[in-house]
Amino acid sequence: MADSSQTDWQPRLGEQFIYNGRRYDLAKAKELIKATPRPVEPKPLSLFKSMYYEAVKIDWDKAEKTDLNVPLIAATEAEGKLVLIDGWHRYAKALRSRQNEVQVVTLTEEETKLIRH
């Protein structure tokens, strides 16, 4: 199994994701992942499918150019619920190419509290 240290995380100041009125600081999330490597795990596409239809607008030109080897980032909310906060274009590309799983790096619930505003 790969770990997150094999990815060149590139935090960009101001990078964020907003879902259900919550703002997630993606730059801070990437900094946490860089500081504390963790497993990259396969997760079923179905886990995030309901969010896909309500949370994002996909630029398909961008999606087609994305690298599916870069893991997506999920935040852990209360009761262990995962929220995909980074990688929606990669998710869309995986969905369109009929894959069953995507590679995901997961933030802990404590880390999620640090990046959520």
Side-chain angles (χ1 to χ4, degrees), residues 41-61:
E41 302 173 304
K43 302 282 184 192
L45 285 172
S46 59
L47 187 62
F48 306 111
K49 201 165 190 176
S50 64
M51 285 183 66
Y52 172 73
Y53 290 113
E54 65 185 49
V56 296
K57 177 148 177 60
I58 299 299
D59 173 344
W60 284 102
D61 288 334

Side-chain angles (χ1 to χ4, degrees), residues 13-55:
L13 188 62
E15 190 179 15
Q16 62 183 339
F17 177 68
I18 300 170
Y19 178 69
N20 269 355
R22 292 185 168 165
R23 184 179 313 263
Y24 298 88
D25 183 335
L26 298 180
K28 189 180 278 187
K30 290 176 182 179
E31 289 292 344
L32 289 168
I33 293 166
K34 281 175 73 170
T36 310
R38 65 217 51 222
V40 175
E41 302 173 304
K43 302 282 184 192
L45 285 172
S46 59
L47 187 62
F48 306 111
K49 201 165 190 176
S50 64
M51 285 183 66
Y52 172 73
Y53 290 113
E54 65 185 49

Side-chain angles (χ1 to χ4, degrees), residues 84-101:
L84 185 60
I85 62 170
D86 184 62
W88 282 107
H89 287 89
R90 295 186 300 278
Y91 178 91
K93 183 177 182 177
L95 189 63
R96 185 177 261 188
S97 62
R98 301 183 190 272
Q99 294 186 20
N100 293 321
E101 298 176 328

